[in-house]
Amino acid sequence: MTAAAFGAVTVGKALATADVSDTAIALLDDEGTVVGWTQAAEQLVGYSAGEIVGRTADLVLAEFTHMPTTAGFVEQCHVRNGWSGTTEVCHRDGRMLDVCLRISMLRGEGGALRWLVSLTDAGVLHGDELNESVRGPLIARTPIGIVVRDRQLRCTWVNDAMGSHDGTPRDQRLGRWIRDAQPDHSADVLEALMRQVLQSGTTKVHEYRMWQSTGLGEEHPFSVSFHCLLDADGQALGVCVISSDVVENQQTSERLALLGEAGARLGSTLDVMQVSQELADLAVPLLADYVAVDLEQSVSFGEGPPVRIGAAGRRLPGLRRAGLASISHGVPESPWVRGELVLAPSVSPLTAVLSAGRSRLEPALDIAPGTWVDEVPELGHRIRENGMHSLMVVPIRARRTMLGVALFVRTKNSVPFHDADLVLAEALVRRAAHSLDNARQYTRQHTAALTLQRHLLPRRLRGGMAVEVASRYLPADADHCVGGDWFDTIPLSGARVALVVGDVVGHGLRAAATMGRLRTAVHTLADMELPPDELLAHLDDTVQRLGEEDCDLPDQIPAVTGATCLYAVYDPATRRCTMASAGHPPPAIIDAQGRVVYPDLAAGPPLGVGLGDPFESVELELPEGSLLALYTDGLVESRGHDIDEGMDRLGSVLAQPGRSLEELCDIATQNLPDRALCDDVTLLLVRTRGLSPSRTAFWTLQCDETAVRNARDLAAEQLAEWGLEGLEDATKLIVSELVTNAVSHGTGPIGLRLIRHQALTCEVSDTDSCAPRTRLARTTDEHGRGLFLVAKLSRRWGCRSAPGGKVVWAEQDLPGHPARNRRPPDRKPSTPLSMGVGPTGAVAA
């Protein structure tokens, strides 16, 4: 060391990340034979100096045994000027120990070589499990200076890094005492320290902190440790002095700690944008001055197929900026903000990484005019304006899927990126990729669940001219936003509307799937125009059948599905509402003055229980403007309150006649008791409307040969009064066919009703309970074409039961209204064959 090498020599604390005095040191000759040993080495592997000095290192080092000869391993160290990494060593008792190993080349006089081996217990060095492929390169990037002195303290061996520490060339150090290179009082201090080490034979607590001149006019703190080397007799052979730059040591420790922190921070969320931002924040400023994280655009939304790495013939994926961090305020380096699509040059390090799926390191970024940076002018401007000079692009991959890329850039830091930086960046990105993949899977599942729920529940409630409707749905499964509750408004014939609310026990995807099956079944049964009690009976049979299909074994008892349902039909022409319940709470009915009534409705058994009890219907007359609240028990029942309290609360909330339905929905579903929902909450609010008498016309016809002619004339007159002359011909034909059927198969009076609402409905009622059906008439048949003609002339037709008989109806589009899809003529009417068989010769053509 030069005379100016030390400004001060002070006793200092051991490094926080690794106590150098606990590092096992061994000195090997050029053939791999141990020529020097330390007490710390004995404590680590159990061999004393007398047991191992003079023997080859493969007795302890597993790495040596991987080569055909010890000389082969030494030759590899020659090529690489040393070796570092993690490996295993053999303890004297046969145990294998995980250690951090570093082999450094030392040079002596005449070009002779020695190897200094340092071993540190990996468990002591790092309590957490860091990626071993990262730790080795990072430690190797921290140069250490090594000097070996004999018992007289003359320098016998030295490594090349020592000269960069104190500025003393190797040839001016070998064979000399300390005072020869450093003729001042500090030489006496150092010699005293080394002699103390030689006398004690220990390597403990001999670490000192010194400020050394670096030759660049700067001063850096160096940590220097002294280790006593022992010979085969256990006597002091010499002293090994190891110095390392404290700043670089600290930076290495910080980078290793960064990986531990990354695991906690990156795994704390399932939001892909937040994970991306955490990755960028972690890397700035410790690794880079500017970081951008770009995700393949489908990752953010959980839609679209994954982009496979190495897929041939595929266009490069579109990227969306998801994470940004910079040492400069406002991130001036990025032309795009978070969430924007990134325009990548067709030829650039970024596109190369996307194509190959491998990282790219550009220590010196080529930003000369005419290069790829000018393909996107704004990008080239930002690169030059902010002094971007070194770049790393790392792909974000998981399970052979390309999730995106991370860009690491240096601007203010003049040191280019090197291989160890890339190793750290890849380790960070790997941890982020794991979190992003989890977040992507969650996002895809969440999106699928929302899509399922959107398709299972009505997108738009249709009340027609009968009712005004509003609804709210709050699932208990907040993660997936799906549940087992459902609600519906189903337009029926004659301007009527069916109101449905149901509840499948449980919540989540399974309950939602069951709910979807039941909702479909209700739609099918509603199309059959069944009364509410009959519809629930058929729905109960359906639920039991589905339960049997879901059984794993044929003889297994079907599990109770556990579902409730309330089904109601409101007729605006009569302002009457018929309802039935399958284990569901009754609706709240609020009149125009705010009076609340819960009708005396028989609850009936839940669906799928199989008790065989019949369902009962209740018919009520509702004044125009009445409010019906159909709900599930999650709205009125909670842990701390029984259902009666909840129903009273709901009634008082809804008894505000001046409020709109949307306002009432908000008030009723906000500030619920026990707001942490344990059950789904559904509310369907319906305000009834009456159909004006001017929109309906009804006649009673005698069941004789005059009925058809009278029906045609009455219909034509009414259409003229309504200004619907354009529908006269079609309506007269429909009326003729339906009344003819009624005359042919009925015995009592015939009812004819025309309803003008969102369509023109023609209804013919008779005393015959048999439902008509279409049939395929042969060319020789005189009858059987009437219903076929009705189907051709109307947009839809059907039949429903009525007290004392049935009603056959047909709908036509009004002029100026968009035509709805017509039912194909070869389809059967909405009433199934099981409801009865019609006449063989239905209607005269």
Side-chain angles (χ1 to χ4, degrees):
M1 297 180 181
T2 63
F6 292 97
V9 179
T10 57
V11 177
K13 294 175 62 178
L15 290 177
T17 55
D19 189 349
V20 180
S21 64
D22 289 336
T23 301
I25 299 295
L27 187 64
L28 311 182
D29 65 15
D30 201 26
E31 298 298 324
T33 301
V34 179
V35 295
W37 198 244
T38 62
Q39 287 186 3
E42 180 179 352
Q43 292 172 0
L44 179 64
V45 298
Y47 289 99
S48 66
E51 292 173 311
I52 197 167
V53 174
R55 303 178 67 175
T56 60
D58 58 9
L59 177 66
V60 173
L61 294 178
E63 286 293 335
F64 276 51
T65 62
H66 296 163
M67 300 297 297
T69 63
T70 301
F73 183 81
V74 172
E75 181 60 30
Q76 279 196 354
C77 292
H78 270 289
V79 174
R80 293 185 292 188
N81 197 28
W83 190 88
S84 65
T86 55
T87 186
E88 291 182 329
V89 295
C90 305
H91 194 274
R92 191 174 185 275
D93 61 11
R95 290 181 292 126
M96 300 301 294
L97 304 176
D98 292 326
V99 297
C100 289
L101 169 68
R102 186 164 186 164
I103 301 177
S104 303
M105 179 187 292
L106 308 181
R107 299 182 184 274
E109 293 180 338
L113 296 178
R114 288 289 185 270
W115 302 94
L116 188 82
V117 179
S118 61
L119 301 171
T120 305
D121 189 334
V124 173
L125 184 60
H126 299 289
D128 60 340
E129 281 193 30
L130 296 175
N131 192 313
E132 303 299 341
S133 64
V134 179
R135 184 188 303 162
L138 288 179
I139 293 177
R141 281 291 304 176
T142 306
I144 59 173
I146 304 173
V147 176
V148 176
R149 296 185 180 276
D150 59 18
R151 290 183 57 85
Q152 289 73 39
L153 302 183
R154 288 177 300 187
C155 177
T156 54
W157 307 98
V158 65
N159 72 338
D160 295 336
M162 194 64 199
S164 64
H165 281 193
D166 60 12
T168 302
R170 181 173 65 247
D171 56 359
Q172 294 181 20
R173 191 192 311 269
L174 289 171
R176 300 188 181 189
W177 287 275
I178 297 177
R179 66 177 64 91
D180 293 338
Q182 189 172 338
D184 61 8
H185 69 280
S186 61
D188 296 334
V189 175
L190 293 174
E191 283 190 1
L193 294 173
M194 293 182 194
R195 293 191 187 283
Q196 182 182 355
V197 170
L198 289 173
Q199 291 171 3
S200 64
T202 183
T203 60
K204 294 199 181 285
V205 199
H206 290 291
E207 185 175 290
Y208 296 85
R209 194 172 297 270
M210 292 163 286
W211 290 87
Q212 293 183 319
S213 175
T214 61
L216 298 176
E218 301 175 353
E219 288 187 333
H220 285 275
F222 280 78
S223 174
V224 182
S225 59
F226 305 90
H227 305 261
C228 180
L229 295 173
L230 306 176
D231 59 16
D233 297 327
Q235 301 300 312
L237 175 68
V239 62
C240 174
V241 182
I242 300 178
S243 65
S244 60
D245 191 321
V246 170
V247 174
E248 291 203 29
N249 278 341
Q250 182 179 2
Q251 187 180 60
T252 299
S253 299
E254 289 174 348
R255 290 187 170 191
L256 289 171
L258 176 63
L259 292 180
E261 182 185 359
R265 289 179 58 176
L266 295 174
S268 62
T269 178
L270 288 174
D271 184 279
V272 293
M273 297 293 284
Q274 186 174 341
V275 172
S276 302
Q277 187 58 45
E278 290 284 2
L279 172 59
D281 292 338
L282 279 167
V284 175
L286 186 58
L287 179 59
D289 298 333
Y290 160 62
V291 173
V293 181
D294 298 333
L295 297 182
E296 194 274 318
Q297 56 184 345
S298 69
V299 173
S300 302
F301 305 101
E303 299 175 350
V307 177
R308 297 296 179 184
I309 297 174
R314 182 183 176 88
R315 292 191 305 173
L316 294 179
L319 298 175
R320 190 178 298 274
R321 187 131 293 177
L324 279 174
S326 172
I327 61 173
S328 302
H329 179 71
V331 197
E333 301 92 338
S334 177
W336 303 282
V337 299
R338 294 182 67 206
E340 286 188 339
L341 289 174
V342 174
L343 182 60
S346 59
V347 179
S348 68
L350 175 62
T351 53
V353 170
L354 290 174
S355 299
R358 293 189 296 271
S359 301
R360 183 76 173 264
L361 171 63
E362 298 277 348
L365 194 60
D366 185 6
I367 58 174
T371 56
W372 61 269
V373 298
D374 292 320
E375 188 173 330
V376 180
E378 179 62 18
L379 178 61
H381 173 71
R382 297 293 181 99
I383 289 175
R384 295 188 177 97
E385 184 181 52
N386 293 279
M388 303 185 199
H389 63 86
S390 191
L391 171 70
M392 295 186 297
V393 185
V394 180
I396 306 174
R397 302 171 296 187
R399 294 185 292 181
R400 291 197 54 79
T401 297
M402 177 68 75
L403 303 181
V405 293
L407 296 89
F408 302 84
V409 180
R410 281 186 174 164
T411 55
K412 300 293 192 297
N413 187 346
S414 60
V415 179
F417 286 121
H418 47 68
D419 291 338
D421 294 319
L422 183 60
V423 170
L424 177 60
E426 289 178 332
L428 280 174
V429 170
R430 275 195 300 272
R431 297 197 173 201
H434 178 71
S435 297
L436 281 170
D437 187 50
N438 290 338
R440 179 179 68 97
Q441 294 295 329
Y442 169 79
T443 302
R444 291 178 69 88
Q445 293 175 5
H446 186 69
T447 302
L450 289 177
T451 302
L452 172 65
Q453 193 73 26
R454 283 196 300 267
H455 283 80
L456 293 180
L457 292 178
R459 297 186 181 182
R460 181 174 59 89
L461 294 173
R462 295 181 298 162
M465 299 188 70
V467 292
E468 175 191 359
V469 292
S471 65
R472 291 294 183 273
Y473 170 71
L474 304 176
D477 188 351
D479 290 337
H480 294 98
C481 297
V482 295
D485 288 7
W486 87 94
F487 56 92
D488 242 323
T489 58
I490 306 173
L492 301 176
S493 63
R496 299 171 308 135
V497 62
L499 311 172
V500 191
V501 65
D503 183 1
V504 175
V505 173
H507 42 263
L509 287 173
R510 185 180 182 87
T514 303
M515 173 270 287
R517 300 167 82 177
L518 297 187
R519 179 172 179 256
T520 301
V522 170
H523 267 266
T524 302
L525 294 170
D527 194 42
M528 294 166 59
E529 302 274 5
L530 296 175
D533 54 344
E534 292 185 27
L535 182 140
L536 291 181
H538 283 280
L539 185 62
D540 184 49
D541 292 338
T542 301
V543 171
Q544 292 187 54
R545 185 175 65 253
L546 293 176
E548 293 171 358
E549 292 175 355
D550 290 340
C551 290
D552 296 329
L553 300 175
D555 57 347
Q556 184 176 351
I557 299 175
V560 176
T561 302
T564 65
C565 182
L566 176 69
Y567 184 83
V569 176
Y570 174 68
D571 187 344
T574 63
R575 298 196 304 275
R576 302 192 70 81
C577 182
T578 308
M579 62 185 69
S581 170
H584 205 84
I589 302 177
I590 301 94
D591 63 18
Q593 288 71 42
R595 292 186 292 266
V596 182
V597 174
Y598 286 94
D600 187 11
L601 178 64
L607 299 172
V609 176
L611 298 179
D613 296 339
F615 299 97
E616 298 181 26
S617 290
V618 171
E619 186 174 71
L620 305 171
E621 184 171 350
L622 302 177
E624 185 171 356
S626 296
L627 177 65
L628 274 76
L630 287 73
Y631 53 89
T632 56
D633 55 6
L635 181 64
V636 296
E637 193 174 23
S638 61
R639 292 188 180 96
H641 303 79
D642 62 28
I643 192 169
D644 291 333
E645 292 181 58
M647 292 170 67
D648 290 341
R649 172 191 169 275
L650 176 62
S652 62
V653 167
L654 298 179
Q656 303 180 57
R659 299 275 190 175
S660 69
L661 295 187
E662 292 294 335
E663 290 176 325
L664 291 175
C665 279
D666 290 336
I667 297 172
T669 55
Q670 288 173 355
N671 303 318
L672 293 174
D674 299 338
R675 186 60 186 88
L677 298 179
C678 59
D679 196 5
D680 303 325
V681 170
T682 299
L683 175 63
L684 175 64
L685 292 185
V686 177
R687 182 165 283 141
T688 63
R689 297 169 178 153
L691 201 61
S692 171
S694 63
R695 291 181 172 270
T696 64
F698 181 79
W699 305 275
T700 300
L701 306 173
Q702 296 297 319
C703 186
D704 56 26
E705 64 277 1
T706 65
V708 174
R709 182 179 68 254
N710 292 337
R712 283 198 301 260
D713 294 342
L714 292 170
E717 292 175 5
Q718 187 62 51
L719 292 180
E721 183 178 336
W722 283 340
L724 299 177
E725 293 86 348
L727 298 178
E728 180 178 339
D729 292 340
T731 304
K732 289 169 67 174
L733 283 172
I734 291 173
V735 167
S736 296
E737 298 300 339
L738 297 184
V739 173
T740 299
N741 244 4
V743 170
S744 301
H745 303 286
T747 57
I750 299 170
L752 171 63
R753 183 166 69 162
L754 297 181
I755 305 173
R756 178 172 60 90
H757 52 111
Q758 292 177 320
L760 176 65
T761 301
C762 173
E763 296 183 346
V764 174
S765 58
D766 60 39
T767 57
D768 182 29
S769 59
C770 293
R773 62 182 179 89
T774 55
R775 49 179 293 204
L776 185 61
R778 295 186 295 268
T779 55
T780 58
D781 291 341
E782 296 182 3
H783 304 284
R785 301 177 182 85
L787 291 180
F788 179 82
L789 181 60
V790 170
K792 293 290 289 183
L793 294 173
S794 60
R795 71 179 188 184
R796 64 176 189 147
W797 74 276
C799 176
R800 66 177 184 268
S801 61
K806 67 176 183 297
V807 176
V808 184
W809 54 269
E811 288 182 356
Q812 300 176 76
D813 291 310
L814 293 176
H817 284 242
R820 296 172 57 182
N821 293 332
R822 295 177 179 270
R823 174 175 290 156
D826 57 340
R827 282 186 53 183
K828 294 179 175 61
S830 54
T831 303
L833 296 181
S834 61
M835 295 297 296
V837 179
T840 56
V843 178

